[in-house]
Amino acid sequence: MYILRSICSNEFMANHLKYTFLTFLFLTVSQTSLTAQTMIVKGEVKDSLNLPISDVFVLLLPDSSSTLTNKKGEFSIKVRNAKKRKVIFSHLQYENFAIDITTSDKVSVVLKEKTQVLSGIDIQERRFEETQEIGSIEIDAKNAYTLPSATGDFSKILATLPGVTSNNELASVYSVRGGNYDENLIYVNGMKVYRPFLVSAGRQEGLGFINTDMVGHVQFSAGGWQAKDGDKLSSVLKVQYRVPKRNEATINASLLGGSLHYGGVSKKGDLHYSFGVRHKNSKYLLGTLETNGNYLPKFTDFQGFISKQLGSKTTLGLLASSAHNNYLTIPESKETEFGTIQASFRVSTAFEGREKLDYHTNQVGLILSHSFSEDFISRLVVSGVHSSERENYEIEGAYLLCDINRNPGSNRFNECVTIRGIGSNYAYGRNKLEAEVLSIDQKNEIYLGNDVLSFGMSWDYENLDDRLKEFAFTDSADFSNVTFSANNAIAIQSHKVSGFVQYTLNSRDSLHTINVGTRLNYWTYSEQWLVSPRIQYAYRMGIRRASILRLATGVYQQHPFYRELRNRTGVINPEVKAQSSFHVVGGIDHYFNAWGRPFKLSSDFYYKYLWNVNPYDVNNIKIRYFGTNQATAYAYGLDFRVNGEFIEGTESWFSLGILNTMEDLQEGDGYVRRPTDQRLNLGIFFQDHLPNDPSIKVSVNTLFGSGLPFGPPGRDDLRNSFQGDQYFRLDLGFSKSFEFENDKTLSPNSLWIGLELLNALGADNTISYTWIQDVVGNQFAVPNALSARFLNVRVIAKF
């Protein structure tokens, strides 16, 4: 054994010496070659107390070489030649510092510690919609860029807020605190915006109105908002487009589409403009659906915003939008498995036909703002929207329902063993809508010391011409059952007039704020007057006023739109009145510091009682109303949200919503769950980056919602009596950003490269259910799944 060990040791030593010599020779030759082409810059980094700083990120431009300082604050970095180079030093606890180098002399750098302003006063010009209101949430628009989502739509960031539910990653719709998609107000620069009226599925919807590239300031309220903010039952979202201060441009490209944005200012500084073009092609994403076929979606929109300063007191703005959403699909086949291990089923479907949908919406608005004095500001918004929509589809699906063998030891494992039913579903539609809405909205604000008096009026003219012709039936087990049939037309020309007045009182010590107001509305079609009083109160508590107690209550009413007049069979009921609700909202906002960074914890309790309720059913994102005011309803719950810089320099938040909403159809069944009764909702948006390189980031977007209720069609006695599947989705985003310093017009100032793993865990989420029967008359709810896992690549260049 001793001889064996000696032989092995000698062979090992010989090989070791041989490789060591070759390595030394290679390094010597390489070093000799590199010395002729490069030089090494050494240096040290210290703080104001002359103490070394470790883990400082040292970046050499334009070579893009980088390194970190050691525990002694020392670094060394190679420079290819002796030309002028720039070295940038960055650390999370210190201010960035840059220095130019031309020689190999030792560099000594002193970094200044970052200072944090805990409180301060920011004096700005008084402008509409830019002061945060009681109970509203402000959203940083830049977070929408890094939020990984299937559509890239701005509304997806709303789904991570408390009280907001969005169980369809393909759509821009959302529900708030038990309401439906039609109960949310959206304003852009004071102009009310609309989404397509006929769209029935998320994959058809296309682009939401809000252009992320142009967004500047965002406020969102989930209930208990002020009288000046309009009439809906659930929420209000107010977006202000950014006014460019310099020439700028953005290019955003991904596998699912892209956008171009350009903004600038005139030489005199009195004309600001911003233009954006977006295109979305979700063909690859739709290819992950259960239904195999040819998907040809094309969604494009153009928006422009121009602001002209007419003297020192007057500003004229123009906001224009043109959206063209075309959707064509030719389904071929689909296979769905559902059930449990003990009772597992499979439905195989073959399709024939196609679906062709076209939605074209054009909207324009003029915004005139004038300051009669420093304390009297007035604004006038004149806008118009025209929507032309077509739906042409004829699809027949022949299906086979069978039991699946789940015994792993069987030679027929995972095969159909018993055929339970054979049949077909047929759907036909030829729908057409022409809609025109003209609006004039005038608002005023008078500042009386610390108090504000607001008042205004608005007028809307609606002209709608809708032709509905669609039916669907199921042919199963030797009998046919018509599931839906409608052949009707509606033409409505009507006027809506409204006005409001409110007063905001602030105490001299700024501890108390009270807002009292009321709205008055009238619709010529229903000849109904509505009065909606509202009140808000806020009290700043604590020695540092770090907590705010909020209370809000009031009446919120919503005149019906044309779809709410049509019942489930397409018949128009002109007697439908406005739905009404009474809100009570209480909450506490607590501001605190942790790890030397600011945070905010918000908690809300709310209760809503609704009367003259128009019940509805939801299928995918299409709402079918009963066309009556037969129900009463209520909703109550708790919302929690904590947001702040969990990682320095990035904002993240965690949201939790607990909800219970029920309704009574007055048919003897008592209160039952509403279609939007999602008892638990969790939203997480989290951002992180490498400790010493903030340019490398990871973003997490997580949504969880408990199952929504559903029931068999045509059975009001079993309405929403079953529990649907829960919704869970995890989207991950990884990105690297590059900053450039150049004066070239066509060269970007920054480049952002991102990789998004959508539905990272491959969750099989359900959006709706299709009901079929077997040979003995048993009904089965076949789930319709949403998109599967998808890998997306995004590149953003800013100029």
Side-chain angles (χ1 to χ4, degrees), residues 673-735:
R673 298 177 66 182
R674 304 192 79 191
T676 53
D677 183 32
Q678 190 166 61
R679 298 294 172 88
L680 182 65
N681 185 39
L682 175 67
I684 299 175
F685 174 54
F686 189 82
Q687 301 182 84
D688 196 0
H689 55 69
L690 291 185
N692 295 288
D693 188 1
S695 65
I696 300 179
K697 294 184 178 181
V698 59
S699 301
V700 179
N701 178 22
T702 303
L703 296 176
F704 172 82
S706 58
L708 292 168
F710 71 101
R715 293 290 303 274
D716 287 348
D717 58 323
L718 296 177
R719 176 175 170 79
N720 298 328
S721 57
F722 300 107
Q723 175 80 8
D725 296 332
Q726 64 186 22
Y727 181 87
F728 177 71
R729 185 175 179 88
L730 173 65
D731 296 329
L732 299 176
F734 307 90
S735 64

Side-chain angles (χ1 to χ4, degrees), residues 302-355:
F302 166 83
Q303 290 188 28
F305 175 56
I306 302 174
S307 178
K308 172 68 175 177
Q309 193 73 31
L310 304 176
S312 60
K313 296 183 178 181
T314 306
T315 303
L316 179 63
L318 173 66
L319 178 60
S321 170
S322 180
H324 303 275
N325 300 327
N326 303 299
Y327 179 84
L328 172 63
T329 180
I330 304 175
E332 296 176 354
S333 63
K334 177 182 178 181
E335 186 172 274
T336 304
E337 294 185 0
F338 62 101
T340 63
I341 298 177
Q342 292 77 17
S344 186
F345 308 98
R346 177 183 296 156
V347 176
S348 301
T349 308
F351 295 97
E352 183 176 352
R354 72 171 190 169
E355 184 178 19

Side-chain angles (χ1 to χ4, degrees), residues 139-161 164 166 168-174 186 188 193-196 202 204-215 218 237 239 241 252 254 256-259 278-282 285 299-301 303 321 323 325 621 653 685 701 703 729 731 756 758 792 794 796:
I139 303 172
D140 192 343
K142 68 180 182 181
N143 289 325
Y145 272 108
T146 56
L147 179 80
S149 66
T151 61
D153 194 271
F154 182 84
S155 65
K156 290 308 171 185
I157 203 167
L158 300 178
T160 63
L161 300 181
V164 182
S166 178
N168 190 336
E169 67 271 7
L170 302 176
S172 63
V173 297
Y174 55 91
I186 301 178
V188 175
V193 300
Y194 300 85
R195 53 184 291 270
Q204 308 164 355
E205 188 175 8
L207 294 159
F209 184 92
I210 301 172
N211 189 324
T212 305
D213 294 330
M214 302 171 66
V215 171
V218 181
L237 173 67
V239 178
Y241 276 172
N252 188 339
S254 77
L256 301 176
S259 65
R278 295 180 296 166
H279 179 73
K280 172 184 169 184
N281 188 346
S282 54
L285 183 63
F299 311 123
T300 305
D301 102 321
Q303 290 188 28
S321 170
N325 300 327
I621 65 170
W653 58 78
F685 174 54
N701 178 22
L703 296 176
R729 185 175 179 88
D731 296 329
E756 297 176 338
L758 306 176
N792 187 32
R794 275 207 300 161
I796 301 176

Side-chain angles (χ1 to χ4, degrees), residues 654-689:
F654 296 81
S655 302
L656 175 66
I658 302 172
L659 166 72
N660 184 10
T661 180
M662 309 281 283
E663 65 183 3
D664 185 358
L665 301 184
Q666 309 295 330
E667 295 179 352
D669 298 319
Y671 279 93
V672 298
R673 298 177 66 182
R674 304 192 79 191
T676 53
D677 183 32
Q678 190 166 61
R679 298 294 172 88
L680 182 65
N681 185 39
L682 175 67
I684 299 175
F685 174 54
F686 189 82
Q687 301 182 84
D688 196 0
H689 55 69

Side-chain angles (χ1 to χ4, degrees), residues 495-611:
H495 302 267
K496 291 179 180 178
V497 181
S498 65
F500 78 93
V501 60
Q502 69 176 40
Y503 191 85
T504 303
L505 175 66
N506 295 285
S507 63
R508 292 185 177 180
D509 56 8
S510 299
L511 292 180
H512 304 271
T513 300
I514 300 177
N515 177 276
V516 180
T518 187
R519 292 190 64 86
L520 182 66
N521 298 270
Y522 178 74
W523 188 29
T524 58
Y525 187 83
S526 63
E527 298 182 348
Q528 184 181 14
W529 287 92
L530 301 176
V531 180
S532 305
R534 301 169 191 176
I535 183 171
Q536 292 181 320
Y537 170 72
Y539 171 57
R540 292 161 181 83
M541 303 180 298
I543 299 176
R544 298 183 179 180
R545 302 179 184 178
S547 299
I548 300 178
L549 173 66
R550 298 178 282 102
L551 297 172
T553 185
V555 177
Y556 297 82
Q557 306 183 84
Q558 178 175 321
H559 281 298
F561 207 57
Y562 84 99
R563 287 188 302 178
E564 295 159 77
L565 303 176
R566 177 183 286 129
N567 65 17
R568 290 175 289 180
T569 61
V571 178
I572 301 300
N573 179 13
E575 302 299 322
V576 175
K577 303 297 182 181
Q579 302 182 81
S580 303
S581 66
F582 176 71
H583 291 197
V584 177
V585 182
I588 296 179
D589 297 330
H590 179 63
Y591 297 85
F592 63 97
N593 287 333
W595 308 296
R597 299 187 291 274
F599 287 84
K600 177 183 177 182
L601 173 64
S602 300
S603 58
D604 285 77
F605 167 78
Y606 60 89
Y607 176 81
K608 297 193 293 186
Y609 177 76
L610 300 92
W611 64 97

Side-chain angles (χ1 to χ4, degrees), residues 405-651:
N405 186 344
R406 291 303 189 189
N407 183 8
S410 173
N411 57 1
R412 297 193 63 187
F413 173 68
N414 206 33
E415 294 182 3
C416 284
V417 292
T418 303
I419 297 178
R420 283 181 169 266
I422 298 176
S424 64
N425 291 321
Y426 181 83
Y428 174 92
R430 294 293 185 269
N431 302 326
K432 176 182 178 182
L433 171 69
E434 296 289 337
E436 296 176 349
V437 180
L438 301 177
S439 299
I440 298 178
D441 187 6
Q442 202 278 325
K443 292 182 179 180
N444 308 275
E445 288 186 351
I446 300 177
Y447 293 84
L448 305 172
N450 293 329
D451 304 339
V452 182
L453 172 65
S454 304
F455 58 94
M457 296 184 63
S458 65
W459 166 79
D460 294 341
Y461 168 73
E462 298 174 355
N463 182 15
L464 300 112
D465 187 359
D466 185 31
R467 300 290 185 267
L468 180 68
K469 185 178 182 181
E470 58 183 18
F471 62 90
F473 67 83
T474 300
D475 188 357
S476 175
D478 296 329
F479 66 90
S480 297
N481 179 31
V482 177
T483 57
F484 178 77
S485 178
N487 187 358
N488 210 329
I490 178 174
I492 295 179
Q493 293 183 351
S494 64
H495 302 267
K496 291 179 180 178
V497 181
S498 65
F500 78 93
V501 60
Q502 69 176 40
Y503 191 85
T504 303
L505 175 66
N506 295 285
S507 63
R508 292 185 177 180
D509 56 8
S510 299
L511 292 180
H512 304 271
T513 300
I514 300 177
N515 177 276
V516 180
T518 187
R519 292 190 64 86
L520 182 66
N521 298 270
Y522 178 74
W523 188 29
T524 58
Y525 187 83
S526 63
E527 298 182 348
Q528 184 181 14
W529 287 92
L530 301 176
V531 180
S532 305
R534 301 169 191 176
I535 183 171
Q536 292 181 320
Y537 170 72
Y539 171 57
R540 292 161 181 83
M541 303 180 298
I543 299 176
R544 298 183 179 180
R545 302 179 184 178
S547 299
I548 300 178
L549 173 66
R550 298 178 282 102
L551 297 172
T553 185
V555 177
Y556 297 82
Q557 306 183 84
Q558 178 175 321
H559 281 298
F561 207 57
Y562 84 99
R563 287 188 302 178
E564 295 159 77
L565 303 176
R566 177 183 286 129
N567 65 17
R568 290 175 289 180
T569 61
V571 178
I572 301 300
N573 179 13
E575 302 299 322
V576 175
K577 303 297 182 181
Q579 302 182 81
S580 303
S581 66
F582 176 71
H583 291 197
V584 177
V585 182
I588 296 179
D589 297 330
H590 179 63
Y591 297 85
F592 63 97
N593 287 333
W595 308 296
R597 299 187 291 274
F599 287 84
K600 177 183 177 182
L601 173 64
S602 300
S603 58
D604 285 77
F605 167 78
Y606 60 89
Y607 176 81
K608 297 193 293 186
Y609 177 76
L610 300 92
W611 64 97
N612 290 334
V613 174
N614 191 345
Y616 56 87
D617 295 319
V618 179
N619 183 13
N620 203 304
I621 65 170
K622 189 163 189 174
I623 300 175
R624 293 196 183 277
Y625 290 92
F626 281 37
T628 63
N629 296 107
Q630 69 184 76
T632 59
Y634 65 83
Y636 64 87
L638 294 169
D639 287 339
F640 302 94
R641 179 176 185 251
V642 57
N643 67 294
E645 296 186 16
F646 290 89
I647 305 298
E648 187 172 3
T650 61
E651 183 186 13

